[in-house]
Amino acid sequence: MNMENRHGKPKGHIGKYIVMLLLVLCVSAAGGIGGAYWYNHTSGGTVVTTTSGTSSAETVSTSKDASSIASKMSQSVVAITTEEMTTNSFWYGSQVSSGAGSGVIISSDGYILTNYHVISGAQKVKVTLSNKKTYSATIVGYKKAKDIAVIKINATGLKAATIADSSKIKQGQTTYAVGNPEGTFANSITSGIVSATSRTISISLDDDSSNSNDQQGGNSWFSSQTTQSTTVKLNVIQTDAAVSPGNSGGGLFNAAGELIGIVNAKSSDSDSEGLGFAIPSNTALSAAKDIIANKTNE
């Protein structure tokens, strides 16, 4: 399998094996510099309350018609847009780059779960709900090693996702991916199955850091930006539901419309189809609760 940045293949059948795929973090970008970014900013300390799903993997319908649950899923998924100001050379000065991703509402008072790589490095972030209302958001915190972040908007009465126990999912179970593909088609729904319940993948997360002054005279004209990346390994759900740039941070749902995962990556090999990945809901929710309780930034 040809890869752009990383080569490899699954090492065996379903199980906790490392899948060294070339993965595209599903972030849509525009304005020159790729990616969606955010800066560290904390908000209130309310502990998130979530609604747990009641359907087990054995009792969930296998119907692939999402018409009865489309509204339930889409109301809990948001579109995220970001802006980052960069000062990268004497010749160009400051520039603004933009990006787009998705998020899942996990409390009625505005806490939203997304990927770290969606909000990493940005100075501005906006959230658009399914009803087209747009809010400015702040970051609560993140766990980079899990590719999870939590943001907050000043809103109440939101439709939080019903969260299923991801340890109960089964191979072949119906899935729906809901998100903002290409940063343009908000609340899109695609369908598929759980291709594998447990894969270990390696992804590269970029960290942007800029030096606003040169060491001699403090002249910002001579400032530069450097980008470093960190490779992290994640245990994820594999699905063949179509995911695209902009889907990152969106929801992977079961046939009852309950959240089973947070979409975060896909294979970028042009010869590969139906290789999408999502962080299990149990992992994502555990990280989110710690972030909200402790303002975690690590």
Side-chain angles (χ1 to χ4, degrees):
M1 183 181 293
N2 293 325
M3 305 297 177
E4 294 174 5
N5 300 315
R6 195 176 305 281
H7 296 266
K9 60 183 178 180
K11 297 183 180 179
H13 59 279
I14 299 170
K16 296 183 178 179
Y17 299 104
I18 296 177
V19 183
M20 296 297 287
L21 296 171
L22 169 65
L23 297 174
V24 171
L25 299 178
C26 301
V27 171
S28 177
I33 299 175
Y37 307 97
W38 186 257
Y39 78 109
N40 299 337
H41 183 75
T42 58
S43 60
T46 304
V47 176
V48 64
T49 301
T50 59
T51 304
S52 298
T54 57
S55 299
S56 69
E58 289 76 20
T59 59
V60 168
S61 168
T62 57
S63 171
K64 297 196 73 172
D65 183 359
S67 60
S68 63
I69 58 171
S71 178
K72 175 181 180 179
M73 295 185 294
S74 62
Q75 285 183 62
S76 65
V77 177
V78 304
I80 297 174
T81 56
T82 63
E83 290 184 3
E84 179 192 17
M85 179 70 73
T86 59
T87 306
N88 51 18
S89 73
F90 168 81
W91 299 107
Y92 299 106
S94 297
Q95 295 178 320
V96 175
S97 58
S98 61
S102 306
V104 177
I105 299 169
I106 56 173
S107 73
S108 61
D109 59 346
Y111 284 95
I112 296 169
L113 182 59
T114 187
N115 292 133
Y116 165 80
H117 74 261
V118 170
I119 52 78
S120 172
Q123 280 75 45
K124 293 182 180 181
V125 66
K126 290 187 179 297
V127 167
T128 302
L129 306 180
S130 61
N131 62 7
K132 310 303 182 183
K133 290 184 178 179
T134 299
Y135 298 82
S136 294
T138 56
I139 193 167
V140 179
Y142 59 82
K143 284 181 173 282
K144 180 179 178 181
K146 296 184 181 297
D147 195 21
I148 290 295
V150 177
I151 61 176
K152 177 75 166 60
I153 61 174
N154 186 19
T156 58
L158 303 179
K159 178 66 175 178
T162 301
I163 301 176
D165 182 351
S166 57
S167 70
K168 294 182 179 180
I169 64 172
K170 303 294 183 182
Q171 186 181 27
Q173 183 178 336
T174 298
T175 59
Y176 299 106
V178 184
N180 181 29
E182 304 298 338
T184 303
F185 304 105
N187 289 115
S188 294
I189 300 176
T190 57
S191 65
I193 62 170
V194 173
S195 302
T197 60
S198 180
R199 298 291 197 200
T200 301
I201 60 173
S202 293
I203 62 174
S204 181
L205 298 175
D206 288 339
D207 281 328
D208 289 334
S209 60
S210 59
N211 299 317
S212 60
N213 299 286
D214 78 349
Q215 294 180 353
Q216 298 298 320
N219 191 335
S220 62
W221 282 11
F222 293 92
S223 64
S224 62
Q225 181 177 31
T226 59
T227 300
Q228 297 178 333
S229 63
T230 301
T231 298
V232 299
K233 292 181 180 179
L234 300 172
N235 183 265
V236 292
I237 300 165
Q238 180 185 335
T239 181
D240 67 348
V243 294
S244 303
N247 270 110
S248 268
L252 186 68
F253 296 86
N254 64 19
E258 299 165 347
L259 185 74
I260 61 172
I262 299 296
V263 175
N264 79 313
K266 64 170 289 185
S267 172
S268 67
D269 193 319
S270 61
D271 294 326
S272 297
E273 295 181 5
L275 283 175
F277 300 94
I279 300 166
S281 58
N282 289 4
T283 301
L285 184 60
S286 176
K289 287 182 174 179
D290 181 63
I291 289 168
I292 293 169
N294 300 306
K295 306 299 184 292
T296 306
N297 290 295
E298 61 183 25

